[in-house]
Amino acid sequence: MNEKNNKQDMNIMKLMEKYHSEESCRQVLAELRWPDGLTCPRCQSKEIRNSYTRDQYDCASCGYQFSVMSGTIFHDSHLPLPKWFVAIYLMVESKKGISANQMKRTLNVSYKTAWYLCHRIRNAMSDGTPSLLKGIVEVDETYVGGKTKGMGHGYKGNKAIVVGATQRGGEARLQVIDDNGRKTLHQFIRENTTPNTEAIYTDEWPAYKGIGDADTKHESVNHSAEEWVRGNVHTNSVEGVWSLLKRSIVGSYHKVSTKHLDAYLDELEWRFNNRENPYLFRDTLLKLINSENLPYEVLTN
Ligand SMILES: [Zn+2]
């Protein structure tokens, strides 16, 4: 069988073969968490004894008993690790994301378990220290969220505003914003691009005016005058991200509360920014094992 065309390091068959037991899952998590050998999470000692049960360790220095999951997002989870691994795989593999309802059916767990699981994985995907975009950067805003009965298509009162920036051929940054005024948009652009970004391309929305300077040119296409592309000037990449966003919310999530929208955006960003990464599954596991626990109460408060 020719598997050369599949650039992804993981597929559903490999997943079932390699990670069908608690033990095989724990082993890869330990390798990712402690690449230089077992280390006590409390005192960093490397003098570790195996405890009575095979998944527990004892620190010889401070006496701390721990497992590979201690202090991580997997901590205190009653869900079997192979189910976690399937969930992680489905979330990184699916272009449009996967709803809690779909996860519930696929894993045969309760809705609450599925919802909490999806949120913990999503939370780990967020990039705490994203690099600044450079080169040619496209910026645009879009509206997502509920229709209000009796209001026309153009009514935006019940919708959230999302601003996005994409570096041509590179990464995307997405964020929920309170308004699409000049101050907010300029701040978003300044916080997400290098000062000497070559060019910023937007549509004709006046709030973008003045974002260029001596080493950053600003050009816009006039969408209201049916101008979409002028030479190299267009916002097609960021609009490609909007189409992913809208297909995911309409197709899988149906309804996204504004409260959790930023987390969904992080998930979309993670998948988009890793679209060429053949080790996406492993890298997502790595983020999860290095993420702190996210209690259910924190999510729901
Ligand atoms: Zn210790």
Side-chain angles (χ1 to χ4, degrees):
M1 214 159 89
N2 180 12
E3 291 181 349
K4 274 181 189 158
N5 291 330
N6 188 355
K7 65 182 171 63
Q8 279 300 325
D9 186 47
M10 185 50 66
N11 58 54
I12 195 81
M13 296 314 292
K14 262 197 220 173
L15 186 81
M16 288 163 69
E17 232 168 78
K18 281 178 87 171
Y19 303 121
H20 60 281
S21 67
E22 287 290 311
E23 203 178 348
S24 56
C25 295
R26 261 200 306 269
Q27 195 186 330
V28 68
L29 291 178
E31 284 164 13
L32 291 170
R33 184 170 186 183
W34 298 300
D36 305 318
L38 270 172
T39 310
C40 171
R42 187 166 283 172
C43 77
Q44 311 306 318
S45 166
K46 287 191 177 293
E47 264 186 84
I48 309 296
R49 291 185 297 246
N50 247 322
S51 195
Y52 303 103
T53 48
R54 61 193 167 152
D55 57 325
Q56 289 283 325
Y57 306 106
D58 270 336
C59 174
S61 299
C62 75
Y64 184 51
Q65 276 202 342
F66 61 97
S67 79
V68 68
M69 278 106 90
S70 296
T72 75
I73 213 155
F74 298 99
H75 191 58
D76 272 347
S77 170
H78 301 296
L79 197 68
L81 280 174
K83 290 202 178 192
W84 268 96
F85 276 45
V86 170
I88 296 160
Y89 174 76
L90 291 174
M91 280 180 77
V92 298
E93 185 262 353
S94 150
K95 290 246 180 322
K96 300 187 294 180
I98 178 160
S99 69
N101 255 317
Q102 177 71 52
M103 196 64 92
K104 169 194 145 168
R105 291 192 295 270
T106 308
L107 297 184
N108 194 24
V109 295
S110 72
Y111 178 79
K112 186 180 162 184
T113 298
W115 184 89
Y116 183 32
L117 179 65
C118 288
H119 267 289
R120 277 178 292 176
I121 297 170
R122 189 170 292 131
N123 187 69
M125 288 172 171
S126 78
D127 198 348
T129 48
S131 59
L132 297 175
L133 304 179
K134 54 183 198 256
I136 294 175
V137 177
E138 303 174 14
V139 183
D140 194 21
E141 346 85 65
T142 192
Y143 291 84
V144 283
K147 279 184 196 132
T148 303
K149 267 194 179 155
M151 295 295 194
H153 185 69
Y155 178 72
K156 285 166 180 160
N158 202 26
K159 292 176 191 285
I161 314 173
V162 176
V163 64
T166 54
Q167 177 180 321
R168 287 265 171 95
E171 300 199 342
R173 304 282 178 260
L174 308 171
Q175 193 181 304
V176 180
I177 48 175
D178 292 330
D179 64 87
N180 61 355
R182 179 189 168 98
K183 195 171 166 237
T184 307
L185 292 176
H186 282 219
Q187 187 184 347
F188 169 79
I189 294 170
R190 273 197 308 273
E191 284 173 358
N192 287 283
T193 57
T194 61
N196 62 348
T197 296
E198 184 189 328
I200 291 167
Y201 295 157
T202 65
D203 62 16
E204 71 278 15
W205 179 241
Y208 289 117
K209 285 214 173 95
I211 193 63
D213 59 23
D215 53 12
T216 305
K217 69 178 170 180
H218 170 225
E219 292 197 57
S220 55
V221 278
N222 193 350
H223 287 173
S224 56
E226 304 273 315
E227 180 192 48
W228 307 102
V229 180
R230 190 177 65 254
N232 195 27
V233 183
H234 60 79
T235 54
N236 291 350
S237 334
V238 68
E239 277 160 43
V241 173
W242 295 155
S243 112
L244 281 173
L245 173 67
K246 285 178 183 181
R247 270 186 290 156
S248 72
I249 285 170
V250 174
S252 303
Y253 303 125
H254 302 293
K255 190 178 90 193
V256 171
S257 72
T258 315
K259 183 182 159 192
H260 295 297
L261 184 55
D262 258 321
Y264 285 97
L265 295 178
D266 287 341
E267 179 191 340
L268 184 81
E269 246 184 82
W270 175 249
R271 268 197 309 267
F272 182 82
N273 296 345
N274 283 284
R275 61 201 183 279
E276 307 283 343
N277 177 6
Y279 304 106
L280 177 56
F281 179 75
R282 181 203 64 189
D283 288 351
T284 308
L285 279 183
L286 189 60
K287 293 206 57 133
L288 279 149
I289 198 68
N290 288 310
S291 289
E292 282 179 14
N293 197 13
L294 178 64
Y296 186 77
E297 298 71 40
V298 172
L299 266 174
T300 48
N301 269 343

